Amino acid sequence: MKKIINPYINKKGYNCIGCSPNNPIGLHLEFYEDGDDIVSMWSPSENYQGWLNTLHGGVIATLIDETAGWVIPRKLQTTAVTSKLAIHYKKPVMTTDKMLTIRARIVESKHNFHTIHVTLENERGEICDEADALYYAMSPDKAKEMGLTECKVEGE
């Protein structure tokens, strides 16, 4: 796996709840390229629970949406917005797990619309949640206007 270099780090006003390393209440996600997949690993805590020792569904949705969202800049070198997010919550995700793995990849592309399939696994490798996210990809000019010029991995 190769670590993706966050192209937004030095952008004025960048404070994403999912991936900004400087957001004090953010998830501080980092992303890796593993073949066709974009992967993130995250350690939950009791601060993110809905029910006792159970990860809140909204936090799960954020983990899934954010990881899916990083597929577009890395694989297509542009920006995108979420058009639809359909999550199948299959089994509880525990805040006591040491590490969760979120994995996303493009499964279909039609014009500017890209469907991304996402899985969230617990520390035992069990798929707890699956989702299909539909993203609308921006033109290269709009991506530049939004601050993305390129999205590289370390060593590239």
Side-chain angles (χ1 to χ4, degrees), residues 7-154:
Y8 302 107
I9 290 291
N10 296 316
K11 304 294 181 200
K12 185 178 179 183
Y14 168 63
N15 199 36
C16 178
I17 194 166
C19 63
S20 173
N22 300 317
N23 185 325
I25 62 165
L27 301 179
H28 306 143
L29 295 172
E30 294 182 337
F31 304 93
Y32 300 84
E33 184 175 49
D34 185 20
D36 290 336
D37 294 349
I38 300 302
V39 179
S40 185
M41 283 85 59
W42 186 71
S43 298
S45 76
E46 65 185 13
N47 294 321
Y48 299 100
Q49 69 182 358
W51 183 245
L52 183 64
N53 294 326
T54 305
L55 190 61
H56 191 284
V59 175
I60 291 168
T62 302
L63 292 167
I64 286 171
D65 187 34
E66 188 69 17
T67 305
W70 274 80
V71 173
I72 302 296
R74 178 58 195 152
K75 296 301 186 179
L76 302 178
Q77 296 296 308
T78 191
T79 57
V81 292
T82 311
S83 296
K84 183 177 180 181
L85 181 60
I87 302 172
H88 180 200
Y89 296 96
K90 299 172 79 167
K91 65 183 300 180
V93 178
M94 308 313 294
T95 56
T96 54
D97 276 0
K98 294 193 183 350
M99 187 67 65
L100 305 176
T101 302
I102 308 98
R103 187 172 289 271
R105 71 167 45 201
I106 295 172
V107 294
E108 184 177 70
S109 295
K110 289 183 181 177
H111 306 289
N112 285 22
F113 289 95
H114 305 277
T115 301
I116 299 168
H117 185 74
V118 188
T119 58
L120 185 149
E121 297 177 9
N122 62 20
E123 66 183 19
R124 291 167 299 291
E126 301 167 321
I127 294 176
C128 297
D129 304 296
E130 285 190 88
D132 286 304
L134 183 66
Y135 280 79
Y136 175 78
M138 305 294 177
S139 69
D141 288 339
K142 184 65 174 174
K144 285 180 186 169
E145 183 182 311
M146 294 174 75
L148 180 74
T149 53
E150 61 185 349
C151 185
K152 294 183 172 186
V153 293
E154 287 182 343

